[in-house]
Amino acid sequence: MVGSSIESGEIEQLYADLAEDVSTREKQLRKNFQLNRPQRSIRTYVGSSTTGRADESPSGAVSVCEVYTQELGKPLEGSLKQLLTGLDASINVLDDIIDTQELTPQTRISLTVNAAFSAVLLAENCPPETRDEVGNQLRGYFTALFQIPLVEQRLFALMENAETKDQRQQVAEQIDAYRSRDIDAFADIAAVITDLDTETKSRVRHDLQAYRARRLLFKDISDVERDLRDDDMTPVIQLLQHHETTDELVAAVMDLYHRFSYSETGHERYGDRLYELEGKPDELESLLIEAEERVNAAGGVR
């Protein structure tokens, strides 16, 4: 098996390198414009956390780099890592704008800075020979991405009104399947640049969607307090509102988890990497009990 394509903290270091470059350019501009040092440098906003949400890592860039390294049998080019990092930053900015009810001036600045410099990473790291295809992938991706919240609204209504537990589980699976498509562009762009064949591309994309759905499930458990505060509905909160015992809740969560599975080939080639990145809590039952208490305190229906 090929070693990891992403070393510990490598994505963070890409942001740090970008911030250092911004700092150097700022200093030169202030010298040219004869400006005193501003109260806060732009570099402090690059790659910074803005909304206080639960740990977002591992990112789409990390999981895709790990999978493609094992699939291709060699590490990915640095420019592809940079491109995927730029896409990561773009998606995180969009998520923060959508999910944050009130944006402080500081948050708006941070989001704007990261949106601007993520565009730089995307533009300067796309190989000229694949630029048209990558642009096409991004157009399709963002078109689909902005439809997902509309689909979620309809499906959450169905989940709330489900008459049986199995119906509720089926709708929860549909919701997370739609949400998992936020990793598609990472997989598809990497496929274009590495010239993956159609069959392999389809299998890798399926496995990355399965990974993303599983990752989102565990992330939703960690984010229950924030989601309740922001009035954001998730399949996990729905399950917390409709169960009779903790054992039943754990069973429902694990049933949802196992509805997303890796291909046989993917399991053999990069399954161990994805299992590690999923972030399954060591104390799942304890976390669910804590989450249940928060939902009950917020007026959830048991």
Side-chain angles (χ1 to χ4, degrees), residues 192-209:
V192 169
I193 293 177
T194 59
D195 198 25
L196 225 56
D197 65 79
T198 302
E199 183 178 350
T200 304
K201 172 185 172 180
S202 178
R203 186 245 304 159
V204 170
R205 183 201 245 212
H206 165 273
D207 289 342
L208 283 164
Q209 287 177 340

Side-chain angles (χ1 to χ4, degrees), residues 181-197:
R181 293 186 63 181
D182 67 0
I183 204 167
D184 285 3
F186 295 89
D188 293 345
I189 288 173
V192 169
I193 293 177
T194 59
D195 198 25
L196 225 56
D197 65 79

Side-chain angles (χ1 to χ4, degrees), residues 130-256:
T130 63
R131 187 164 294 149
D132 289 346
E133 181 59 25
V134 168
N136 184 54
Q137 294 286 354
L138 287 173
R139 288 188 194 96
Y141 173 69
F142 284 118
T143 301
L145 198 64
F146 287 115
Q147 303 306 310
I148 292 176
L150 302 177
V151 175
E152 285 183 340
Q153 275 187 334
R154 177 175 59 83
L155 291 176
F156 276 124
L158 291 176
M159 193 173 180
E160 176 64 31
N161 296 317
E163 297 180 357
T164 67
K165 295 174 183 176
D166 188 56
Q167 287 178 350
R168 186 169 294 111
Q169 290 290 106
Q170 289 178 14
V171 179
E173 178 184 0
Q174 285 182 276
I175 293 171
D176 278 345
Y178 274 104
R179 295 169 76 202
S180 73
R181 293 186 63 181
D182 67 0
I183 204 167
D184 285 3
F186 295 89
D188 293 345
I189 288 173
V192 169
I193 293 177
T194 59
D195 198 25
L196 225 56
D197 65 79
T198 302
E199 183 178 350
T200 304
K201 172 185 172 180
S202 178
R203 186 245 304 159
V204 170
R205 183 201 245 212
H206 165 273
D207 289 342
L208 283 164
Q209 287 177 340
Y211 152 75
R212 183 61 176 154
R214 289 177 163 197
R215 170 69 183 166
L216 284 168
L217 176 62
F218 296 136
K219 181 179 174 300
D220 283 346
I221 295 171
S222 300
D223 279 348
V224 164
E225 184 174 9
R226 179 184 67 84
D227 290 334
L228 288 171
R229 183 183 66 241
D230 292 344
D231 198 25
D232 288 338
M233 181 56 67
T234 68
V236 165
I237 290 179
Q238 279 279 354
L239 293 178
L240 287 164
Q241 292 176 336
H242 297 89
H243 75 281
E244 296 178 359
T245 67
T246 300
D247 287 344
E248 180 185 291
L249 173 61
V250 174
V253 167
M254 293 312 299
D255 171 73
L256 185 55

